[in-house]
Amino acid sequence: MDLASVRIITADIKQVVSFFEHITALPAVWYTEDFAEIEIGSVKLAVGSTRTLNFFGEGMAVPASNKSVIIEFRVDNVDEVYERIKDSIGEKLVQQPTTMPWGNRSLLFRDPDGNLINFFTPKSTEALERFQ
């Protein structure tokens, strides 16, 4: 089994896709005006407009209401990434780069819909071993 994608449903697809293109420095592939994907390693970050929910039925997902999931990206140098994106995340910053007790250096912020995003770099020997 492989994790193929994580999908965000949003009322403002252009804003959310643009945000993720900027923070990942990767281009999105638009399949329709209501659906785009950004390929990140072996997983795709998919973004769908609320209109895509019509295929699944009423009330299947509610945009901008996530309170329990953090989308995490392992990056080579979280401090360098923070310097590149800090102006664009502005008040959405939750935590500046901080070394966590489990050995990752972590940057936590929110996307335009309020979803939590974590960029991290393994720093301790134990953390580095987990990602080899």
Side-chain angles (χ1 to χ4, degrees):
M1 182 183 311
D2 288 323
L3 177 63
S5 71
V6 172
R7 187 182 315 182
I8 297 170
I9 299 297
T10 181
D12 191 343
I13 190 169
K14 289 181 182 178
Q15 179 186 33
V16 171
V17 170
S18 177
F19 177 81
F20 278 100
E21 284 181 314
H22 176 68
I23 67 166
T24 64
L26 296 168
V29 175
W30 286 85
Y31 295 97
T32 71
E33 65 181 350
D34 292 311
F35 188 80
E37 291 180 329
I38 299 174
E39 190 168 334
I40 305 164
S42 63
V43 177
K44 293 180 180 176
L45 178 63
V47 183
S49 79
T50 53
R51 289 189 295 221
T52 63
L53 295 179
N54 295 337
F55 296 105
F56 303 113
E58 188 73 27
M60 293 299 294
V62 179
S65 63
N66 172 30
K67 301 293 183 200
S68 63
V69 174
I70 302 173
I71 302 171
E72 299 189 300
F73 298 85
R74 184 168 41 105
V75 298
D76 290 336
N77 186 319
V78 73
D79 294 287
E80 287 178 3
V81 173
Y82 174 62
E83 289 301 316
R84 182 177 65 79
I85 69 171
K86 68 181 177 183
D87 291 338
S88 62
I89 59 177
E91 293 181 12
K92 295 179 183 341
L93 178 68
V94 174
Q95 174 185 281
Q96 291 184 4
T98 303
T99 302
M100 306 307 288
W102 47 89
N104 290 340
R105 188 143 174 86
S106 175
L107 163 65
L108 194 62
F109 57 98
R110 294 189 183 275
D111 74 7
D113 276 2
N115 299 304
L116 282 169
I117 309 299
N118 181 32
F119 279 10
F120 72 94
T121 302
K123 288 294 191 180
S124 71
T125 302
E126 296 83 13
L128 287 165
E129 288 173 358
R130 283 193 302 268
F131 292 99
Q132 290 183 344

